[in-house]
Amino acid sequence: MENFQGFLTTSSLLGYGEFQSGKGLMEEMEGGAENKTFAGLLGTEKKKGDRKKIRKPRYAFQTRSKVDILDDGYRWRKYGQKAVKNNKFPRSYYRCTHQGCNVKKQIQRLTIDEGMVVTTYEGMHSHPIQNSNDNFEHILSQMQIYTTSF
DNA sequence: CGTGTTTGACCAGCGC
DNA sequence: GCGCTGGTCAAACACG
């Protein structure tokens, strides 16, 4: 849904005030994580070491929903799940399955509010949405965005 | 058969 | 230097 995409971007920009060199960040992200070779990634690339001064933009959404799987129109593949302290619920790590799209997102529930779900997006999509979500509008109208900064 | 999920192990960073 | 912790990978499995 184009509307949602524009909305998402706007919110992200608003939430991450320091997000000005978006292109640079994107390029670095793509260049760094693009190498899917395991050995290459481990041996050559030091993703965390490279981000010395640069912060990766992360956009956090807090939503009230019974289901933590909020489909925003993109296809996500789960690549990890870890338990966090101060939170008895595990955190799920998702990644966009589009080729060349390294956008990540993690979903975490709040212990206090089981109905509260924090969705943190990392990176920006540079490709059209694959999923035809006409029912997503319905979901959107149901969820409320509280904060966009992290 | 293609795609996504599960799950334990692995690695790098950080604190002590 | 050692151990903990968060984040990621990848083989096996499940599902249409």
Side-chain angles (χ1 to χ4, degrees), chain A residues 59-77:
Chain A
Y59 324 118
F61 290 87
Q62 279 188 32
T63 47
R64 267 196 175 275
S65 172
K66 291 219 169 189
V67 200
D68 40 2
I69 309 293
L70 289 176
D71 212 330
D72 45 8
Y74 294 99
R75 190 60 60 82
W76 301 97
R77 150 185 143 261

Side-chain angles (χ1 to χ4, degrees), chain A residues 84-96:
Chain A
V84 200
K85 281 198 171 183
N86 301 335
N87 207 338
K88 61 179 188 177
F89 295 108
R91 171 189 297 167
S92 302
Y93 298 90
Y94 292 86
R95 180 174 275 181
C96 186

Side-chain angles (χ1 to χ4, degrees), chain A residues 21-33:
Chain A
S21 54
K23 276 198 170 183
L25 288 172
M26 277 283 293
E27 283 182 359
E28 187 167 84
M29 280 178 55
E30 287 186 1

Side-chain angles (χ1 to χ4, degrees), chain A residues 77-142:
Chain A
R77 150 185 143 261
K78 191 179 201 170
Y79 69 91
Q81 178 173 320
K82 267 291 189 132
V84 200
K85 281 198 171 183
N86 301 335
N87 207 338
K88 61 179 188 177
F89 295 108
R91 171 189 297 167
S92 302
Y93 298 90
Y94 292 86
R95 180 174 275 181
C96 186
T97 59
H98 189 91
Q99 180 185 355
C101 184
N102 298 316
V103 180
K104 290 178 285 188
K105 100 178 171 184
Q106 51 189 244
I107 298 181
Q108 182 178 9
R109 281 182 180 174
L110 296 188
T111 308
I112 298 218
D113 247 318
E114 185 185 329
M116 267 294 205
V117 177
V118 182
T119 306
T120 308
Y121 287 86
E122 197 169 317
M124 294 174 64
H125 298 278
S126 52
H127 60 89
I129 302 182
Q130 311 175 357
N131 202 0
S132 63
N133 265 0
D134 39 20
N135 64 335
F136 172 66
E137 264 187 67
H138 188 248
I139 302 179
L140 224 192
S141 56
Q142 281 190 36

